[in-house]
């Protein structure tokens, strides 16, 4: 093999190992910074500058993650997320400016995996991207069928309404069981407080939202080795809770 062919082969092998990201962003200053910064981190970047272009490029390519700005020309980030989620479970990280909390809650509810707020630091963004990819990489730990859900050391027997941690049965109240089931059925995904309250207590619930926190605290006391430093049920400040796969 000639040196030229060897270099070509190595370049092809390197390219095949790059993580492909679809960046949906219309601000050129952010695009330039992302192309340079994420390129240096070993990501293969494809850019879409509006919502319609994002859908077209997503359908034409293969991507490991989508970084999606919320405010876009032609089609909003909310609609782009909804369209992608209708056909794919590719991880989606949403980017938003300050003051868009209501829209962020909607994005999480329709399937976004995480979000970052502008202005952000590249180091934080890269950490978020790698964390979401790690959670997806560890998803085979999830074993699910109609009768049971098992992630790591926690197993729910749904039909019998029994819960086991490290093989030992623990006693859960009805709402606690339903709450843990909801978290386990959405591993690695942020569930907003409003979503959890609606699904567990019903959309006509008018009680104090601290009820949810009390149930989360009790679950942590039962399944975490150190409830004060939980590794499984994590808090996403100001948004809700997430069941961690990779910890």
């Amino acid at each position: 093999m000639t040196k030229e062919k060897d270099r070509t082969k190595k370049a092809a092998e390197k390219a095949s190992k790059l993580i492909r990201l679809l960046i949906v962003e219309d601000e050129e200053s952010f695009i330039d910074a992302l192309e340079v910064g994420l390129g240096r981190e070993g990501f293969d970047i494809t850019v879409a500058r509006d919502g319609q272009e994002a859908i077209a490029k997503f359908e034409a390519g293969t991507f490991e993650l989508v970084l999606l700005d919320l405010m876009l020309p032609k089609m909003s980030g909310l609609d782009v997320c909804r369209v992608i989620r209708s056909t794919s479970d590719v991880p989606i990280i949403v980017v938003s400016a300050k003051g868009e909390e209501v829209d962020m809650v909607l994005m999480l509810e329709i399937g976004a995996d995480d979000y970052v707020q502008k202005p952000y630091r590249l180091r934080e963004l890269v950490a978020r991207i790698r964390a979401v990819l790690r959670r997806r990489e560890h998803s085979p730990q999830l074993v699910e069928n109609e009768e049971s859900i098992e992630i790591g050391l926690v197993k729910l027997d749904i039909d019998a309404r029994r819960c086991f941690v490290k093989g030992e049965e623990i006693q859960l109240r009805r709402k606690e069981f339903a709450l843990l089931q909801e978290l386990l059925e959405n591993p690695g995904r942020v569930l907003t407080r409003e979503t959890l309250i609606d699904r567990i207590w019903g959309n006509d619930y008018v009680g104090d939202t601290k009820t949810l926190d009390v149930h989360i605290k009790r679950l942590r006391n039962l399944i975490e080795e150190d409830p004060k430093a939980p590794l499984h049920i994590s808090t996403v400040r100001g948004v809700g809770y997430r069941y961690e796969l990779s910890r």
Side-chain angles (χ1 to χ4, degrees), residues 146-160:
E146 293 181 355
E147 299 178 350
S148 66
I149 304 174
E150 185 173 358
I151 301 180
L153 302 177
V154 178
K155 178 179 179 179
L156 285 186
D157 185 333
I158 297 173
D159 284 350

Side-chain angles (χ1 to χ4, degrees), residues 25 67-71 93-97 100 116 118 120:
E25 173 63 67
L67 183 67
L68 177 63
D69 189 31
L70 194 59
M71 303 298 293
I93 297 179
V94 171
V95 177
S96 73
E100 297 172 349
V116 292
K118 289 182 178 179
Y120 52 77

